[in-house]
PDB file of all heavy atoms in Angstrom:
ATOM      1  N   SER B 883     -13.610  -1.463  -0.190  1.00  0.00           N
ATOM      2  CA  SER B 883     -13.478  -0.517   0.863  1.00  0.00           C
ATOM      3  C   SER B 883     -12.339   0.478   0.568  1.00  0.00           C
ATOM      4  O   SER B 883     -11.199   0.111   0.343  1.00  0.00           O
ATOM      5  CB  SER B 883     -13.144  -1.246   2.180  1.00  0.00           C
ATOM      6  OG  SER B 883     -11.819  -1.716   2.174  1.00  0.00           O
ATOM      7  N   GLN B 884     -12.751   1.694   0.506  1.00  0.00           N
ATOM      8  CA  GLN B 884     -11.717   2.733   0.141  1.00  0.00           C
ATOM      9  C   GLN B 884     -11.411   3.527   1.371  1.00  0.00           C
ATOM     10  O   GLN B 884     -12.300   3.843   2.158  1.00  0.00           O
ATOM     11  CB  GLN B 884     -12.252   3.653  -0.899  1.00  0.00           C
ATOM     12  CG  GLN B 884     -12.792   2.959  -2.165  1.00  0.00           C
ATOM     13  CD  GLN B 884     -14.298   2.801  -2.160  1.00  0.00           C
ATOM     14  OE1 GLN B 884     -14.969   3.390  -1.331  1.00  0.00           O
ATOM     15  NE2 GLN B 884     -14.758   1.976  -3.077  1.00  0.00           N
ATOM     16  N   PRO B 885     -10.141   3.847   1.556  1.00  0.00           N
ATOM     17  CA  PRO B 885      -9.830   4.745   2.670  1.00  0.00           C
ATOM     18  C   PRO B 885     -10.540   6.075   2.396  1.00  0.00           C
ATOM     19  O   PRO B 885     -10.493   6.620   1.307  1.00  0.00           O
ATOM     20  CB  PRO B 885      -8.316   4.931   2.542  1.00  0.00           C
ATOM     21  CG  PRO B 885      -7.826   3.817   1.646  1.00  0.00           C
ATOM     22  CD  PRO B 885      -8.986   3.462   0.758  1.00  0.00           C
ATOM     23  N   ALA B 886     -11.249   6.528   3.404  1.00  0.00           N
ATOM     24  CA  ALA B 886     -11.972   7.773   3.237  1.00  0.00           C
ATOM     25  C   ALA B 886     -10.974   8.925   3.293  1.00  0.00           C
ATOM     26  O   ALA B 886     -10.048   8.909   4.023  1.00  0.00           O
ATOM     27  CB  ALA B 886     -12.964   7.932   4.377  1.00  0.00           C
ATOM     28  N   PRO B 887     -11.167   9.870   2.368  1.00  0.00           N
ATOM     29  CA  PRO B 887     -10.270  11.022   2.328  1.00  0.00           C
ATOM     30  C   PRO B 887     -10.468  11.917   3.576  1.00  0.00           C
ATOM     31  O   PRO B 887      -9.615  12.611   4.009  1.00  0.00           O
ATOM     32  CB  PRO B 887     -10.615  11.730   1.097  1.00  0.00           C
ATOM     33  CG  PRO B 887     -12.062  11.362   0.845  1.00  0.00           C
ATOM     34  CD  PRO B 887     -12.171   9.991   1.357  1.00  0.00           C
ATOM     35  N   SER B 888     -11.692  11.847   4.073  1.00  0.00           N
ATOM     36  CA  SER B 888     -11.949  12.655   5.248  1.00  0.00           C
ATOM     37  C   SER B 888     -11.132  12.121   6.424  1.00  0.00           C
ATOM     38  O   SER B 888     -10.909  10.945   6.558  1.00  0.00           O
ATOM     39  CB  SER B 888     -13.404  12.536   5.559  1.00  0.00           C
ATOM     40  OG  SER B 888     -13.621  12.775   6.960  1.00  0.00           O
ATOM     41  N   LEU B 889     -10.709  13.020   7.255  1.00  0.00           N
ATOM     42  CA  LEU B 889      -9.888  12.578   8.382  1.00  0.00           C
ATOM     43  C   LEU B 889     -10.748  12.336   9.633  1.00  0.00           C
ATOM     44  O   LEU B 889     -10.174  12.100  10.630  1.00  0.00           O
ATOM     45  CB  LEU B 889      -8.845  13.654   8.677  1.00  0.00           C
ATOM     46  CG  LEU B 889      -7.840  13.871   7.560  1.00  0.00           C
ATOM     47  CD1 LEU B 889      -6.952  15.049   7.810  1.00  0.00           C
ATOM     48  CD2 LEU B 889      -7.044  12.615   7.348  1.00  0.00           C
ATOM     49  N   THR B 890     -12.027  12.406   9.430  1.00  0.00           N
ATOM     50  CA  THR B 890     -12.848  12.354  10.639  1.00  0.00           C
ATOM     51  C   THR B 890     -12.779  10.991  11.287  1.00  0.00           C
ATOM     52  O   THR B 890     -12.858  10.879  12.522  1.00  0.00           O
ATOM     53  CB  THR B 890     -14.274  12.684  10.342  1.00  0.00           C
ATOM     54  OG1 THR B 890     -14.639  11.868   9.238  1.00  0.00           O
ATOM     55  CG2 THR B 890     -14.464  14.125   9.984  1.00  0.00           C
ATOM     56  N   THR B 891     -12.603   9.985  10.476  1.00  0.00           N
ATOM     57  CA  THR B 891     -12.759   8.640  11.048  1.00  0.00           C
ATOM     58  C   THR B 891     -11.488   7.800  11.010  1.00  0.00           C
ATOM     59  O   THR B 891     -11.412   6.724  11.585  1.00  0.00           O
ATOM     60  CB  THR B 891     -13.848   7.842  10.322  1.00  0.00           C
ATOM     61  OG1 THR B 891     -13.557   7.847   8.934  1.00  0.00           O
ATOM     62  CG2 THR B 891     -15.230   8.475  10.599  1.00  0.00           C
ATOM     63  N   THR B 892     -10.503   8.256  10.222  1.00  0.00           N
ATOM     64  CA  THR B 892      -9.282   7.442  10.107  1.00  0.00           C
ATOM     65  C   THR B 892      -8.625   7.308  11.454  1.00  0.00           C
ATOM     66  O   THR B 892      -8.624   8.202  12.264  1.00  0.00           O
ATOM     67  CB  THR B 892      -8.305   8.004   9.108  1.00  0.00           C
ATOM     68  OG1 THR B 892      -8.249   9.400   9.301  1.00  0.00           O
ATOM     69  CG2 THR B 892      -8.741   7.720   7.671  1.00  0.00           C
ATOM     70  N   GLU B 893      -7.985   6.159  11.589  1.00  0.00           N
ATOM     71  CA  GLU B 893      -7.277   5.942  12.853  1.00  0.00           C
ATOM     72  C   GLU B 893      -6.043   6.817  12.927  1.00  0.00           C
ATOM     73  O   GLU B 893      -5.365   7.083  11.974  1.00  0.00           O
ATOM     74  CB  GLU B 893      -6.921   4.467  12.921  1.00  0.00           C
ATOM     75  CG  GLU B 893      -5.725   4.027  12.115  1.00  0.00           C
ATOM     76  CD  GLU B 893      -5.943   4.073  10.631  1.00  0.00           C
ATOM     77  OE1 GLU B 893      -7.067   4.449  10.132  1.00  0.00           O
ATOM     78  OE2 GLU B 893      -5.028   3.781   9.879  1.00  0.00           O
ATOM     79  N   ALA B 894      -5.816   7.348  14.096  1.00  0.00           N
ATOM     80  CA  ALA B 894      -4.673   8.192  14.299  1.00  0.00           C
ATOM     81  C   ALA B 894      -3.514   7.298  14.790  1.00  0.00           C
ATOM     82  O   ALA B 894      -3.431   7.027  15.986  1.00  0.00           O
ATOM     83  CB  ALA B 894      -4.929   9.319  15.268  1.00  0.00           C
TER      84      ALA B 894
END
Side-chain angles (χ1 to χ4, degrees):
Chain B
S883 73
Q884 306 99 11
S888 153
L889 296 172
T890 49
T891 54
T892 43
E893 76 293 358

